[in-house]
């Protein structure tokens, strides 16, 4: 009988090695949160078949793809795994956001060039309704606020323009799955700023405070105009020319408390 014990013990060890280590899960740390910190929205620039082929079989991917009619949600990558959708990206000082975000692609053709500039088609209402349902579920499960829903052009303004100026950010904000500045606050700031605009460095600091990858150079260089364009496409889509005007400053002041405080502190400077 005693001779059988080593054999039995050896068999138990072999079984243990084959199934992996024994983990005690009785304790859970209080200091933790989801690895998912952002949800990044994109459009595909193509129809469903090409989008599925590109995202499911190509070198890029997204966690979800939402078709238009009927509004079908496809899960292409499990949320626990990294999808390749954001590329070189930055938001709120964090870079390379593939590792910390969920990517959602919407089947949408983007823009096409005309003699009068870019023409941006509207999004399908049913598709947006499906997106809202999905976003509510994602934000609830990962304990994220609506400010964590952003666009590809927000995190990569030097090279991306999706989801574009016709994307209904205000509708998403009304549904509680995105942010939008308070209209009354924007109007108050706009009235104050019509007489004199803040310096370019203020715009750059305000954009960085909101989250955009924007260095403070004090110059209205092409990179700054690209970031301003991305901001305007999202919060003032009717005119997104990348110019630092009074309405853009008012939107930034409404979204950035620190930028608003700087305006108050600089009132003497801003008096023209």
């Amino acid at each position: 009988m005693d001779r059988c014990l080593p054999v039995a013990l050896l068999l138990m060890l072999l079984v243990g090695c084959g199934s992996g280590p024994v983990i005690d899960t009785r304790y859970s740390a209080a200091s933790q949160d989801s690895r998912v910190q952002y949800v990044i929205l994109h459009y595909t620039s193509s129809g469903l078949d090409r989008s599925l082929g590109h995202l499911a079989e190509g070198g890029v991917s997204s966690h979800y793809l939402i078709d238009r009619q009927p509004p079908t949600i496809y899960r292409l990558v499990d949320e626990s795994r990294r999808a390749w959708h954001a590329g070189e990206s930055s938001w709120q000082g964090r870079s390379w956001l593939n590792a910390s975000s969920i990517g959602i692609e919407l089947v949408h053709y983007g823009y096409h060039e005309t003699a009068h500039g870019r023409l941006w088609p509207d999004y399908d209402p049913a598709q947006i309704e499906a997106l809202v349902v999905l976003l509510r579920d994602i934000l609830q499960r990962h304990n994220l606020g609506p400010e964590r829903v952003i666009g590809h052009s927000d995190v990569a303004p030097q090279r991306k323009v999706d989801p574009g100026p016709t994307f209904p950010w205000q509708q998403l904000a009304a549904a509680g799955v995105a942010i939008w500045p308070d209209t009354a606050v924007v109007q108050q700031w706009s009235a104050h700023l019509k007489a004199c605009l803040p310096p370019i460095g203020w715009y750059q600091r305000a954009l960085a405070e909101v989250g955009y990858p924007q260095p403070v150079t004090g110059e209205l260089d092409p990179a700054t105009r690209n970031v301003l364009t991305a901001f305007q496409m999202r919060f003032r889509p009717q005119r997104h020319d990348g110019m630092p005007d009074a309405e853009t400053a008012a939107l930034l002041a409404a979204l950035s408390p620190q930028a608003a405080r700087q305006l108050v502190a600089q009132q003497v400077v801003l008096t023209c």
Side-chain angles (χ1 to χ4, degrees):
M1 185 70 178
D2 291 341
R3 293 177 181 177
C4 295
L5 289 177
V7 177
L9 181 60
L10 179 60
L11 289 172
M12 290 175 63
L13 289 173
L14 289 173
V15 171
C17 291
S19 61
V22 177
I23 305 295
D24 189 327
T25 60
R26 289 177 294 170
Y27 307 98
S28 181
S31 299
Q32 61 175 294
D33 61 4
S34 174
R35 288 182 181 272
V36 175
Q37 293 298 303
Y38 304 106
V39 183
I40 302 177
L41 306 181
H42 312 252
Y43 62 53
T44 62
S45 298
S46 61
L48 176 62
D49 291 343
R50 185 176 176 186
S51 298
L52 278 171
H54 192 56
L55 294 169
E57 301 173 7
V60 296
S61 57
S62 66
H63 294 89
Y64 296 97
L65 172 67
I66 305 180
D67 195 13
R68 293 168 297 176
Q69 289 294 342
T72 306
I73 301 174
Y74 299 91
R75 187 175 70 184
L76 306 180
V77 178
D78 190 88
E79 290 182 14
S80 65
R81 298 182 64 81
R82 177 171 54 180
W84 300 96
H85 63 96
E88 185 176 351
S89 52
S90 178
W91 189 252
Q92 296 177 331
R94 300 184 184 187
S95 59
W96 295 100
L97 300 178
N98 282 331
S100 59
S101 65
I102 288 175
I104 301 177
E105 293 268 3
L106 294 105
V107 174
H108 186 274
Y109 285 98
Y111 65 87
H112 63 269
E113 299 284 0
T114 72
H116 305 287
R118 291 177 175 176
L119 180 63
W120 301 82
D122 291 332
Y123 282 80
D124 186 275
Q127 183 186 39
I128 297 302
E129 290 176 7
L131 172 64
V132 167
V133 173
L134 177 60
L135 286 173
R136 282 176 177 158
D137 179 59
I138 292 172
L139 296 182
Q140 189 275 327
R141 285 188 289 102
H142 293 279
N143 195 28
L144 300 176
E147 73 281 357
R148 298 301 181 96
V149 179
I150 48 185
H152 201 186
S153 56
D154 293 324
V155 303
Q158 304 305 326
R159 60 188 185 87
K160 294 295 181 179
V161 295
D162 56 314
T166 58
F167 185 78
W169 284 107
Q170 194 168 7
Q171 179 183 341
L172 263 63
V177 294
I179 61 168
W180 193 261
D182 184 278
T183 301
V185 175
V186 173
Q187 290 175 344
Q188 290 173 356
W189 277 115
S190 185
H192 287 305
L193 293 167
K194 283 181 179 178
C196 188
L197 296 179
I200 296 302
W202 178 88
Y203 286 90
Q204 293 172 331
R205 284 189 293 271
L207 287 164
E209 164 115 10
V210 172
Y212 289 87
Q214 174 63 71
V216 180
T217 64
E219 301 291 334
L220 185 58
D221 48 35
T224 299
R225 288 199 60 179
N226 287 340
V227 179
L228 281 167
T229 298
F231 176 82
Q232 291 165 345
M233 278 198 299
R234 179 165 174 180
F235 294 109
R236 201 218 21 216
Q238 64 273 19
R239 192 169 90 250
H240 48 277
D241 55 8
M243 294 303 296
D245 54 27
E247 187 177 6
T248 302
L251 289 163
L252 283 166
L255 288 166
S256 169
Q258 182 174 333
R261 288 192 293 269
Q262 289 174 349
L263 283 178
V264 172
Q266 295 172 2
Q267 279 306 302
V268 175
V269 178
L270 294 175
T271 302
C272 297

